[in-house]
């Protein structure tokens, strides 16, 4: 079976293919290159965190609130909890009934904001770092 890359033709002007380009993506904020985090325990760049807070006003992430877990602003409800409900196939109404501190407008606002995925990735990293299986032996 032919590989899909076999059909690609490179001409002499084309730069050499760098396989690391896709695995180690370069992230920039305000023109500055952000160094990649090697572990979930690595601190998040403060400038990136300030930028994400400015575009996600419904999400709060403070070290003294649930150990830095991203939560709905003004509550102690992690946004990961809402994603867990939805990924399990439960309706939004079940989540709102179980967590009355979160309004429907707040929940839909967080879901409609694409930048919320940044916090969802952080939530997963914090959870995986807290699991006993991830601790060094």
């Amino acid at each position: 079976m032919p590989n899909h890359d076999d059909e690609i033709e490179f001409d002499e002007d084309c730069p050499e293919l760098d396989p690391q380009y896709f695995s180690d993506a370069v992230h920039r904020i305000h023109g500055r290159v952000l160094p990649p985090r090697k572990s979930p325990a690595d601190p998040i760049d403060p400038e990136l965190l300030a930028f994400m807070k400015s575009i996600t006003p419904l999400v709060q992430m403070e070290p003294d609130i649930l150990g830095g877990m991203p939560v709905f602003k003004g509550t102690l409800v992690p946004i990961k909890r809402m994603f867990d409900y939805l990924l399990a196939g439960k309706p939004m109404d079940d989540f709102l009934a179980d967590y009355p501190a979160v309004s429907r407008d707040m929940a839909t606002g967080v879901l409609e904001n694409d930048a919320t995925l940044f916090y969802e990735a952080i939530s997963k990293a914090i959870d995986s770092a807290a699991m006993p299986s991830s601790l060094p032996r």
Side-chain angles (χ1 to χ4, degrees), residues 53-74:
K53 285 180 182 180
S54 72
I55 62 173
T56 55
L58 298 173
V59 179
Q60 182 176 3
M61 190 173 124
E62 304 296 332
D64 55 336
I65 300 174
L66 294 181
M69 180 70 75
V71 298
F72 288 94
K73 187 162 187 98

Side-chain angles (χ1 to χ4, degrees), residues 20-87:
Q20 215 174 8
Y21 175 77
F22 294 103
S23 62
D24 297 333
V26 174
H27 298 283
R28 298 177 187 271
I29 182 167
H30 304 295
R32 185 171 63 86
V33 174
L34 297 175
R37 295 172 66 216
K38 303 287 187 219
S39 147
D42 288 351
I44 298 166
D45 187 275
E47 188 177 356
L48 175 63
L49 194 53
F51 173 71
M52 292 308 293
K53 285 180 182 180
S54 72
I55 62 173
T56 55
L58 298 173
V59 179
Q60 182 176 3
M61 190 173 124
E62 304 296 332
D64 55 336
I65 300 174
L66 294 181
M69 180 70 75
V71 298
F72 288 94
K73 187 162 187 98
T75 72
L76 294 177
V77 181
I79 62 165
K80 184 179 183 318
R81 190 74 59 233
M82 177 180 66
F83 284 105
D84 291 344
Y85 267 69
L86 297 175
L87 289 171

Side-chain angles (χ1 to χ4, degrees), residues 67-129:
M69 180 70 75
V71 298
F72 288 94
K73 187 162 187 98
T75 72
L76 294 177
V77 181
I79 62 165
K80 184 179 183 318
R81 190 74 59 233
M82 177 180 66
F83 284 105
D84 291 344
Y85 267 69
L86 297 175
L87 289 171
K90 295 182 180 178
M92 177 66 80
D93 291 332
D94 286 359
F95 170 76
L96 296 172
D98 290 345
Y99 297 95
V102 179
S103 69
R104 181 175 295 280
D105 290 340
M106 188 182 294
T108 55
V110 166
L111 279 177
E112 289 171 354
N113 190 337
D114 293 338
T116 301
L117 295 177
F118 168 81
Y119 292 104
E120 175 61 4
I122 290 172
S123 297
K124 287 180 182 176
I126 289 173
D127 272 358
S128 69

